Amino acid sequence: MKRLDFITLKLFVAIADLRSLTRAAEREHLALAAVSKRISDLETQLSTTLLYRRPRGVELTPAGHALLHHARHMLDSLDHLNADLSEYSVGIRGHVRLHANTSAVIEFLPDDLSDFTWRYPQIRIDMQERLSHEIITAVRDGLTDIGIFSAHIPADGLSIQPYRRDRLVLVTARDHPLANRQRLAFAETLDHDFIGLEQDSSLHALLHQDSQRLSRPLRMRIQVRSFEGICRMIDRGMGIGILPARAVAAYRESLSLATVPLIDEWAERELVIGVRDLDALPLIARQMVDHLVGAGTRELEASETRPGAVAATKV
């Protein structure tokens, strides 16, 4: 296995795609005899048959299918490696992969990443918005360097640091019966139809868990994929929703909504940063973690000097 080379793997993928040694030789600009010898040597090295030779071409054996799967993955990784390294020749000095949930993407990361890229202008950030449980899996599998997700989702095996806190509020249309309340409990909302996120989201799970604790059904009328979709449905009088207060504020210019603070303890959520091994991260990724944790700490210290929760507000 140590003698496997990428040229042979690329050739094997071409043979699998074209089902022909001759056409693969033409595509890879190699002599047919050289192609045949490379594949024979590969089979000898692996001590297994990879191809069934047929009168009109070739077919993969079960071992061939297994090799094809890994060969495609290895060649794809090589392409990404070449792309990443090529950036250094044009001035890029780092690459960080970041997966974050919707709350973090909308509420906090625009400012925090703007500050970070101002300090480190020669890095590239590959950020993807994902559900919290998807982020945790991606971090564990090494598909992203840094994950930001809701703290109440189990993340065993990851190194966790606090990031930010967000406050959940009830969102209604201005003329809704609950719109003028100063504050209320989640239990008081359960007689109304809800607009919410898709079922796999951490926010949906949070509401569903508390409705079960209260032995009350959650009347989920419509589920959408974005905070904006929820706000627009609520604006049209189709139901109520529970969202982070800062996320709702983003739609104040275009929609007429009311927000009411919730008194439930879980309404103040914590977002955390998770990594597999902080010490094993590239230097620039560790610096990003330090920057994000520091931003959250500074906001928490500032919030402790501000008054408590405000009454119902119109946005």
Side-chain angles (χ1 to χ4, degrees):
M1 292 296 291
K2 292 182 179 178
R3 297 180 58 192
L4 281 176
D5 63 89
F6 286 106
I7 294 175
T8 300
L9 290 179
K10 184 179 179 184
L11 178 60
F12 181 77
V13 170
I15 293 170
D17 289 341
L18 299 172
R19 295 291 192 267
S20 167
L21 288 132
T22 301
R23 291 197 295 272
E26 292 173 353
R27 191 174 89 174
E28 299 302 316
H29 306 291
L30 294 171
L32 178 59
V35 170
S36 181
K37 186 176 187 310
R38 276 186 175 271
I39 298 303
S40 295
D41 289 347
L42 181 60
E43 290 178 319
T44 299
Q45 182 181 344
L46 298 176
S47 301
T48 188
T49 301
L50 301 173
L51 300 173
Y52 294 123
R53 276 72 171 177
R54 307 295 191 195
R56 296 186 177 181
V58 295
E59 295 179 9
L60 297 181
T61 66
H65 281 289
L67 177 61
L68 178 63
H69 169 76
H70 291 288
R72 290 192 192 279
H73 180 74
M74 293 171 68
L75 292 172
D76 184 59
S77 295
L78 181 63
D79 287 340
H80 285 295
L81 173 61
N82 287 332
D84 288 347
L85 291 181
S86 68
E87 293 175 343
Y88 286 85
S89 66
V90 294
I92 299 297
R93 292 295 181 268
H95 175 202
V96 182
R97 300 170 300 167
L98 170 66
H99 286 192
N101 67 3
T102 302
S103 295
V105 170
I106 291 178
E107 299 177 71
F108 307 114
L109 287 175
D111 289 339
D112 291 348
L113 292 182
S114 175
D115 291 343
F116 186 75
T117 54
W118 181 83
R119 293 171 58 189
Y120 301 97
Q122 292 181 310
I123 72 160
R124 181 165 72 86
I125 300 172
D126 176 9
M127 186 178 75
Q128 297 186 34
E129 182 179 338
R130 293 287 187 267
L131 299 174
S132 286
H133 73 276
E134 295 174 336
I135 297 168
I136 293 168
T137 299
V139 175
R140 284 179 177 150
D141 292 346
L143 300 177
T144 187
D145 302 310
I146 302 168
I148 300 178
F149 47 88
S150 296
H152 71 276
I153 305 296
D156 297 338
L158 298 187
S159 175
I160 302 298
Q161 297 191 62
Y163 175 45
R164 296 276 194 158
R165 292 183 180 274
D166 66 353
R167 167 64 62 174
L168 296 175
V169 295
L170 177 71
V171 186
T172 74
R174 281 182 179 270
D175 58 354
H176 192 275
L178 298 177
N180 292 318
R181 294 286 300 273
Q182 296 299 305
R183 53 200 301 128
L184 47 67
F186 176 60
E188 299 176 80
T189 70
L190 291 173
D191 290 331
H192 301 271
D193 291 332
F194 272 80
I195 312 296
L197 290 175
E198 54 193 328
Q199 194 161 350
D200 289 337
S201 70
S202 60
L203 180 54
H204 176 89
L206 190 64
L207 301 183
H208 183 69
Q209 288 168 7
D210 207 49
S211 69
Q212 287 187 320
R213 181 186 65 81
L214 295 166
S215 299
R216 301 276 303 278
L218 183 63
R219 291 168 46 177
M220 191 62 67
R221 185 179 188 185
I222 300 173
Q223 291 176 272
V224 297
R225 295 183 61 88
S226 68
F227 289 168
E228 181 180 5
I230 294 175
C231 289
R232 290 191 178 280
M233 293 288 182
I234 293 172
D235 179 58
R236 296 299 181 182
M238 301 189 70
I240 62 175
I242 291 178
L243 291 173
R246 291 176 60 157
V248 181
Y251 308 107
R252 64 164 56 97
E253 298 297 329
S254 57
L255 301 175
S256 178
L257 303 171
T259 63
V260 184
L262 293 168
I263 64 174
D264 305 82
E265 288 187 5
W266 53 258
E268 185 175 0
R269 297 192 306 169
E270 183 178 5
L271 300 178
V272 295
I273 297 171
V275 301
R276 280 204 300 184
D277 183 352
L278 186 62
D279 293 334
L281 287 178
L283 175 60
I284 193 65
R286 297 200 303 272
Q287 290 172 326
M288 177 178 285
V289 171
D290 290 342
H291 174 80
L292 295 175
V293 171
T297 300
R298 288 189 294 274
E299 181 175 80
L300 180 60
E301 291 172 348
S303 68
E304 291 174 349
T305 67
R306 293 196 296 262
V310 297
T313 57
K314 306 298 182 183
V315 298

